[in-house]
Amino acid sequence: MKSRSPSINSQATRRRPSLPGRAYPRRLSALSSAELGHDETTAETAEQKIEEEIEEIKRYEDFTTIDWVQDAAREQLRRRARRKENAGFFERKGRFGIRHKLWESYDAGQAWIVVTLVGAAIGLNAAFLNIVTEWLSDVKLGHCTTAFYLNENFCCWGAENGCPEWHRWSTIWPINYFLYFVFSIIFASTSASLVKSFAPYAAGSGISEIKCIIAGFVMKGFLGFWTLLIKSISLPLAIASGLSVGKEGPSVHYAVCTGNVISRFFDKYKRNAAKTREILSACAAAGVAVAFGSPIGGVLFSLEVRSSTGQSSIQS
């Protein structure tokens, strides 16, 4: 009996330290669960704050990409459906007549028709904006008595010794300075109000977004009619007000907007994103050409944009 007691006591002494040792994992698990719960709440609040900040600075309502494979498949289906619909109309005694040849010629020449219309529209818009910008810049100084719509250069055309047709707003220079200041404020505030109220996408140059759009991104409304209209109205006002802005970047934007609006009238470009991107690249080249007066520079800019997106069909 005496020999067994030490073993029992030794076993009891060995088991005793294990009792408090079991409480440590429970405490650690409770602490870890509490820490995890705290981390989850902090992560959720952080995500909510990030989403709120993104919503505040979010500029684009839609920002998706184009599936080029699906777009090519849709173009093939469109051609097949068009051929089936017009098979009976074009066929005559089992053969294709002159109607089919005319239709094929029209379908193949739509690119030239669209490019011609877009080029004429961009040129007219650029000329109109240049004339309006010069007139607004001179209106701050005075007016032409013979024709109010003429700027100082055209009003004094051919005059060598002074220009009696061009009059300042006042003979007192502080009043002229004050009117100059007032006109600048009116032009700048009007331009900013139009952009903020009707076309927020008209703000900025738009070249970075155009590169993204040509690469395959979709930004609905960025190249719409309202953006084109507000950009064409607010650009001369912003430049004439004396703000530190130029017409080079915005010229590319409203040129691409013009091409997008006109190409939507043709079914070939309305349903094919790849064909539309080719027209938009040509419009970007036209915008650079009218801004700097350099057609070759516009072509090089278009090639640079297309090469950066990996689409070299227009380069060939």
Side-chain angles (χ1 to χ4, degrees):
M1 295 297 293
K2 292 181 181 181
S3 61
R4 294 179 182 177
S5 60
S7 63
I8 295 170
N9 293 330
S10 62
Q11 292 178 0
T13 54
R14 289 177 183 175
R15 291 177 182 174
R16 284 175 185 174
S18 64
L19 292 174
R22 294 178 182 175
Y24 289 117
R26 294 178 182 177
R27 293 176 182 176
L28 291 174
S29 63
L31 291 172
S32 62
S33 62
E35 290 176 355
L36 288 173
H38 180 68
D39 293 339
E40 290 178 357
T41 55
T42 54
E44 290 178 357
T45 54
E47 290 178 358
Q48 290 178 357
K49 290 181 180 179
I50 292 172
E51 290 178 358
E52 290 176 357
E53 291 178 357
I54 291 174
E55 289 294 332
E56 289 180 358
I57 64 175
K58 187 177 179 181
R59 185 178 175 185
Y60 309 106
E61 297 178 358
D62 189 12
F63 196 79
T64 57
T65 56
I66 296 173
D67 189 351
W68 297 108
V69 177
Q70 187 178 5
D71 186 72
R74 287 179 180 176
E75 178 63 17
Q76 292 180 357
L77 292 175
R78 184 190 70 84
R79 291 180 179 177
R80 292 176 184 176
R82 182 60 62 87
R83 289 175 182 175
K84 290 181 180 179
E85 291 177 359
N86 300 328
F89 180 76
F90 290 132
E91 288 182 1
R92 190 173 186 181
K93 294 181 180 181
R95 297 179 180 178
F96 292 107
I98 191 171
R99 294 177 178 177
H100 181 264
K101 293 181 180 179
L102 290 175
W103 174 256
E104 289 292 335
S105 301
Y106 170 73
D107 188 66
Q110 280 189 18
W112 296 103
I113 296 172
V114 173
V115 168
T116 303
L117 293 176
V118 168
I122 292 173
L124 291 174
N125 194 14
F128 172 76
L129 293 180
N130 288 333
I131 294 172
V132 172
T133 301
E134 292 180 359
W135 180 73
L136 290 175
S137 299
D138 291 340
V139 162
K140 298 186 297 183
L141 301 174
H143 66 283
C144 183
T145 56
T146 56
F148 186 78
Y149 55 87
L150 294 178
N151 57 10
E152 187 175 1
N153 290 329
F154 282 98
C155 183
C156 301
W157 189 269
E160 296 181 357
N161 298 323
C163 182
E165 291 82 8
W166 182 262
H167 287 180
R168 299 286 180 177
W169 292 111
S170 177
T171 56
I172 304 173
W173 71 266
I175 297 177
N176 290 328
Y177 181 81
F178 177 76
L179 291 175
Y180 185 93
F181 186 73
V182 170
F183 275 117
S184 299
I185 293 176
I186 292 173
F187 293 161
S189 60
T190 304
S191 177
S193 300
L194 288 174
V195 171
K196 185 177 181 180
S197 302
F198 298 100
Y201 290 155
S205 65
I207 293 180
S208 302
E209 291 83 355
I210 288 169
K211 287 184 177 180
C212 292
I213 291 172
I214 294 176
F217 289 89
V218 177
M219 302 179 189
K220 292 183 179 180
F222 190 82
L223 301 177
F225 175 75
W226 278 107
T227 304
L228 172 61
L229 180 63
I230 299 302
K231 190 96 173 182
S232 300
I233 296 174
S234 60
L235 180 60
L237 292 172
I239 296 174
S241 65
L243 295 175
S244 181
V245 294
K247 63 178 181 179
E248 289 77 14
S251 297
V252 177
H253 190 187
Y254 73 69
V256 177
C257 290
T258 304
N260 182 67
V261 171
I262 293 177
S263 64
R264 290 300 174 184
F265 291 100
F266 296 85
D267 188 67
K268 181 179 180 180
Y269 297 97
K270 185 178 181 180
R271 300 177 181 272
N272 193 341
K275 295 291 183 181
T276 304
R277 264 59 188 176
E278 294 179 2
I279 297 297
L280 297 184
S281 300
C283 295
V288 174
V290 298
F292 295 98
S294 57
I296 298 176
V299 174
L300 293 177
F301 175 77
S302 177
L303 294 178
E304 177 188 356
V305 172
R306 297 288 291 185
S307 63
S308 63
T309 60
Q311 302 172 17
S312 59
S313 60
I314 195 172
Q315 298 179 19
S316 60

